[in-house]
Amino acid sequence: MRCLSIQIKPDAVAEFDKDDFLKRVRGLGRSPEIDDFEERNIRHLHFNFFTELPEQLWQEIKEKLYGDNTYGSYLGSVSLVACEGESRAEDVLLHHFDPTEKLDRFSQ
């Protein structure tokens, strides 16, 4: 089981519409585990999806949420997407709000 995590950048959490995001995600038939916590005076908001098929889930999320004409650019500007592997060497960064960050791909 792997965890695909959409993490909202800390300075965007206060204005992020969690209910709208969840409505969109549930429209895909998905229900993430939500981590909403504060650590060292910084608020964190993570949506965690546990799956045996992370590549397929990422393609669906990328197409339907990040590819949406209106919502996609906003979501892309306030989030990063990572997938935790069975080991640290298998962890991948799939999307980052900073376009200069080097992204990974799933290994085949």
Side-chain angles (χ1 to χ4, degrees):
M1 186 71 66
R2 296 183 65 183
C3 178
L4 190 137
S5 180
I6 298 176
Q7 303 173 16
I8 306 306
K9 66 181 183 174
D11 64 356
V13 170
E15 282 80 40
F16 187 76
D17 188 340
K18 185 166 50 171
D19 292 332
D20 181 45
F21 176 81
L22 288 171
K23 184 176 98 179
R24 292 168 185 272
V25 167
R26 289 184 178 131
L28 302 176
R30 304 290 180 162
S31 292
E33 177 182 290
I34 302 166
D35 289 332
D36 188 347
F37 62 97
E38 192 168 310
E39 185 173 81
R40 296 185 181 153
N41 294 322
I42 298 172
R43 186 159 168 225
H44 298 271
L45 180 58
H46 302 177
F47 300 93
N48 302 310
F49 301 83
F50 295 92
T51 180
E52 294 290 340
L53 303 168
E55 297 94 338
Q56 182 179 328
L57 176 58
W58 171 233
Q59 285 305 313
E60 183 179 14
I61 288 173
K62 187 166 74 168
E63 178 184 314
K64 301 282 172 52
L65 297 180
Y66 287 87
D68 182 271
N69 288 336
T70 54
Y71 191 69
S73 60
Y74 165 70
L75 184 60
S77 72
V78 299
S79 67
L80 68 83
V81 180
C83 186
E84 295 176 7
E86 297 294 324
S87 69
R88 200 151 184 78
E90 295 176 343
D91 291 354
V92 291
L93 178 63
L94 300 167
H95 171 81
H96 199 285
F97 53 84
D98 178 352
T100 64
E101 282 290 325
K102 184 179 180 302
L103 302 179
D104 303 308
R105 292 187 192 177
F106 287 106
S107 57
Q108 300 299 328

